[in-house]
Amino acid sequence: MAIEQTLVIIKPDAVSKNAVGDIIRIFQEKGLKLKALKMTKLTKEDAKKFYIVHKDRPFYDELTDFMSSGPVVAMVLEGENAISYVREIIGATDPAKAAEGTIRKLYGTDVGKNAVHASDSPESAKVEIPFFFSQLEIVG
Ligand code: CDP
Ligand code: MG
């Protein structure tokens, strides 16, 4: 088992539902350590850059409009196998298919407005963490 860090974003839908505190609490209760945290608002260009891997997908424009539509809360979480563990805690991309008790089941609306993002692999985490945080902002 390896200690990993992963990037989570609370998306604009969940921020506007006042679910930020609840979502952070769920991760902490499941044993993940909060290493960095900020609220920010992405421009359309920022969102396009962050989701560049999806540039050829039909939902790219809608996704990047949504992600730049309001404030988001980004965080770095740390723990054993944090990348796959956090993906389990958030649930399937489509909240309708997400398991009971997962964050997307609890707070997601539809496949686009699905409350949270989490890095899907060590390679993604390595790019996504520095997208939001400098080394100085990651504590401990
Ligand atoms: O976020 P996740 O890794 O679970 O899914 P993804 O396949 O990497 O897609 C990234 C994001 O695009 C999703 O979280 C959704 O917000 C959005 N998406 C969408 O709007 N429509 C789809 N059919 C698939 C994804
Ligand atoms: Mg993904």
Side-chain angles (χ1 to χ4, degrees), residues 12-27:
D13 58 325
V15 173
S16 73
K17 283 182 188 171
N18 293 330
V20 170
D22 287 349
I23 291 171
I24 294 174
R25 179 179 46 75
I26 290 170
F27 287 124

Side-chain angles (χ1 to χ4, degrees), residues 3-121:
I3 299 288
E4 294 174 336
Q5 291 187 344
T6 189
L7 182 87
V8 167
I9 307 172
I10 304 178
K11 296 186 179 185
D13 58 325
V15 173
S16 73
K17 283 182 188 171
N18 293 330
V20 170
D22 287 349
I23 291 171
I24 294 174
R25 179 179 46 75
I26 290 170
F27 287 124
Q28 291 185 314
E29 282 177 357
K30 291 188 181 284
L32 289 147
K33 274 203 161 146
L34 192 56
K35 304 293 283 187
L37 180 69
K38 71 170 67 161
M39 178 178 264
T40 185
K41 188 166 182 289
L42 301 177
T43 64
K44 173 83 172 173
E45 284 312 305
D46 294 329
K48 284 171 77 173
K49 206 167 21 145
F50 184 80
Y51 279 113
I52 193 74
V53 293
H54 292 313
K55 67 176 167 36
D56 297 323
R57 306 289 285 278
F59 55 82
Y60 184 59
D61 193 48
E62 195 184 339
L63 169 63
T64 52
D65 273 349
F66 165 58
M67 289 300 289
S68 57
S69 68
V72 296
V73 173
M75 71 194 85
V76 175
L77 295 175
E78 185 180 273
E80 286 208 346
N81 294 326
I83 296 165
S84 60
Y85 183 41
V86 166
R87 293 287 300 195
E88 256 175 58
I89 294 169
I90 72 171
T93 306
D94 183 350
K97 295 179 186 146
E100 286 302 324
T102 60
I103 290 173
R104 282 170 164 170
K105 181 74 171 188
L106 288 166
Y107 300 105
T109 302
D110 57 42
V111 71
K113 296 180 174 58
N114 58 4
V116 281
H117 166 87
S119 305
D120 65 3
S121 63

